[in-house]
Amino acid sequence: MADNRLRYGVHNLTDPQLKDLRAAYAGQQAISDNRGYQYLAGLHGVPGFWCWHHQGNARTAKHRQLFLPWHRAYLYHFEMGLRDRVGTTTLPWWDWTLRPPRQKGLPDAFAVAKVNGQPNPLASFKVNLPTTNPPVIGTTTRQPGDPSELPTQADVDETISRGDWVDFGMALEQLHDSVHGWVGGYMGQVPVAAFDPVFWAHHCMIDRIWWLWQVKNGNANIPADLLDVPLAPFNMKVRDVLNVNDLGYDYAAGGAKIAAGGVS
Amino acid sequence: MARAANTPRRRYDPPKRGGVGKIYTSGKVDISFAGPEHRTYRVDLMIDGIEHGGPSYRGFVFLNNPKATDKTPRDLENGYAGVFDIFAHGGCMGDPGHCEVNETKREVYDFRNPNPLTPARKRVTVTATIREIAKKAKTATVTIVPVITAVNSLCETDDVFKCEELSFVAYN
């Protein structure tokens, strides 16, 4: 939709788009108050512990299956924060199904340690939580696995083919869990995963797959009693995040601006 | 955040990959429901009540191969049936009591969110492998090889895979 901001694949970002993204991340990371990167990343695990995982079971009754809606609300708030820094940027998605030569494991944009002699804000983040138990003070780490172990397009297609909401949600959460483990390091543990800058691109891919499933299946088989469950600490309920267009965004593979005046 | 006086001082070290946890093997389970005389189109291994407070790991599932290890080829010939991943908490990151789930103590009017460590459920679709085994046998064992993807000094590495119940569910 033309009026919506578009989230592109990391592998298709143009140089200006990547520059904007890096500037937005760097701006976020430089802020220490509740608009900043550390505060937002800290909502997921330590110290906030608001995230939802592994709840597709009878023990949690009405609170089941909030993994996808909660993370959509979370990404929305993070993206808004990025756009407060650089208004033209959007969250990109990391398509971990891509194989060489297009991509080998982590996207270069998030892997290179330095850009133009400066630390790459997409590669790591310095966490400073001195009052948690234990204190978490240090730079995020990764320990990627063999790229051939990442989920394939066939895995994604099989997941999307599952028409039942719970069945689909559990299958997608499995792909999600496997990529967290594949990246390793901070990404491998719930309490600290969101401090790694690639967390957001990974979850953007998960959100995109959910949206692809929704385009195909609609929302009719999402349990009605789930719709008014709040997605704390965000000012949203499940029903508020069902349509990404209502949140002002959509997904595209890539894109580039064309000067209206032409060249001749 | 004030720390209780009796809370031991701990340190957080970055998570690393960490070898293989204790391998689980079940007793023999009747799998006649997956035999060629049945119209089963899908069989899931349901794993309920999985603890996820410790290391993160990949749980490789083998049927009728109790000697499977992390080195065993993951193919039909060796009974490989699929994998599940546990994205876990990596030990307690709070003061004493922070990771106690306390499900049974909740009041009716307790609207707080459940503890994030409420045990998990995973399902692994094992259709091709169980069908193959069911052509020749009426029973199968389930072996789970947990290969640790993220662990640090806050969590134990021995008894990594812990669950309350496993079951097969067949659909036709």
Side-chain angles (χ1 to χ4, degrees):
Chain A
M1 291 198 174
D3 291 340
N4 288 328
R5 61 187 183 279
L6 294 172
R7 292 179 175 177
Y8 299 120
V10 174
H11 55 286
N12 279 334
L13 290 182
T14 63
D15 288 344
Q17 287 168 340
L18 189 52
K19 189 178 175 187
D20 281 355
L21 183 69
R22 287 203 169 105
Y25 263 78
Q28 279 282 74
Q29 291 171 356
I31 296 173
S32 63
D33 61 30
N34 64 352
R35 300 164 300 154
Y37 190 94
Q38 176 160 289
Y39 175 84
L40 292 167
L43 295 176
H44 186 266
V46 69
F49 285 108
W50 291 103
C51 68
W52 284 92
H53 298 90
H54 302 314
Q55 300 301 320
N57 63 66
R59 295 167 187 267
T60 49
K62 197 171 177 179
H63 292 285
R64 65 190 179 275
Q65 291 294 314
L66 292 181
F67 164 68
L68 291 172
W70 189 88
H71 284 88
R72 179 168 284 172
Y74 191 33
L75 291 190
Y76 171 84
H77 279 74
F78 183 76
E79 185 176 59
M80 284 292 139
L82 287 180
R83 289 168 65 80
D84 284 345
R85 309 277 70 78
V86 178
T88 53
T89 201
T90 56
L91 272 179
W93 40 280
W94 166 28
D95 187 346
W96 16 254
T97 70
L98 292 179
R99 294 295 188 265
R102 298 187 71 193
Q103 187 172 271
K104 189 177 181 185
L106 282 166
D108 288 345
F110 283 82
V112 293
K114 291 197 170 185
V115 178
N116 298 327
Q118 298 297 314
N120 177 8
L122 305 181
S124 62
F125 174 67
K126 286 184 180 174
V127 186
N128 184 22
L129 294 170
T131 59
T132 57
N133 182 13
V136 184
I137 301 171
T139 302
T140 56
T141 58
R142 297 172 184 153
Q143 199 177 9
D146 185 325
S148 68
E149 297 274 334
L150 283 165
T152 64
Q153 186 60 46
D155 295 327
V156 172
D157 292 343
E158 197 278 332
T159 297
I160 291 175
S161 76
R162 299 186 178 211
D164 176 76
W165 157 254
V166 172
D167 195 25
F168 164 76
M170 289 185 77
L172 184 52
E173 189 165 0
Q174 164 55 27
L175 296 184
H176 154 269
D177 290 358
S178 73
V179 174
H180 271 283
W182 183 88
V183 176
Y186 277 56
M187 270 284 278
Q189 292 185 335
V190 173
V192 292
F195 293 109
D196 185 326
V198 85
F199 169 94
W200 309 96
H202 168 43
H203 268 278
C204 202
M205 174 70 166
I206 297 296
D207 188 69
R208 172 178 166 267
I209 295 171
W210 181 26
W211 179 238
L212 294 175
W213 182 87
Q214 288 179 292
V215 169
K216 181 180 172 189
N217 295 282
N219 294 317
N221 65 13
I222 296 176
D225 64 358
L226 206 62
L227 298 179
D228 287 316
V229 175
L231 301 172
F234 312 114
N235 189 25
M236 291 170 153
K237 295 178 179 176
V238 172
R239 67 170 71 250
D240 299 324
V241 300
L242 292 182
N243 188 332
V244 301
N245 295 156
D246 290 345
L247 296 174
Y249 70 89
D250 208 334
Y251 284 100
K257 294 285 184 194
I258 303 169
V263 293
S264 58
Chain B
M1 187 182 309
R3 183 175 295 114
N6 61 350
T7 305
R9 184 79 180 176
R10 303 181 302 159
R11 68 183 176 85
Y12 182 78
D13 48 327
K16 294 183 175 170
R17 297 189 185 278
V20 183
K22 185 177 168 186
I23 296 172
Y24 164 89
T25 296
S26 74
K28 290 183 176 178
V29 184
D30 188 332
I31 58 162
S32 53
F33 56 82
E37 69 276 24
H38 293 279
R39 289 178 295 168
T40 305
Y41 81 91
R42 171 175 157 181
V43 181
D44 289 346
L45 173 67
M46 303 290 290
I47 312 169
D48 273 301
I50 305 171
E51 286 191 26
H52 50 104
S56 297
Y57 62 92
R58 309 205 80 191
F60 294 101
V61 179
F62 293 85
L63 303 183
N64 261 5
N65 188 353
K67 292 183 178 175
T69 69
D70 59 315
K71 305 285 192 302
T72 304
R74 301 201 290 266
D75 55 29
L76 203 57
E77 195 175 320
N78 284 284
Y80 178 67
V83 63
F84 64 93
D85 287 77
I86 294 297
F87 176 40
H89 279 244
C92 183
M93 296 195 68
D95 291 342
H98 177 250
C99 290
E100 289 174 13
V101 177
N102 281 340
E103 284 176 280
T104 56
K105 293 182 183 174
R106 288 179 76 88
E107 299 173 11
V108 174
Y109 293 103
D110 186 345
F111 295 111
R112 294 174 297 175
N113 285 339
N115 190 302
L117 289 177
T118 302
R121 166 185 286 176
K122 283 279 182 176
R123 65 173 76 170
V124 182
T125 299
V126 298
T127 317
T129 307
I130 203 167
R131 270 185 181 158
E132 193 61 29
I133 292 171
K135 287 178 186 172
K136 303 169 194 162
K138 295 285 183 197
T139 62
T141 57
V142 178
T143 295
I144 293 173
V145 181
V147 176
I148 297 169
T149 53
V151 65
N152 59 13
S153 59
L154 298 179
C155 41
E156 297 174 10
T157 56
D158 186 26
D159 207 3
V160 175
F161 168 67
K162 285 185 269 191
C163 76
E164 295 170 352
E165 191 175 298
L166 294 102
S167 55
F168 287 120
V169 180
Y171 302 90
N172 62 16

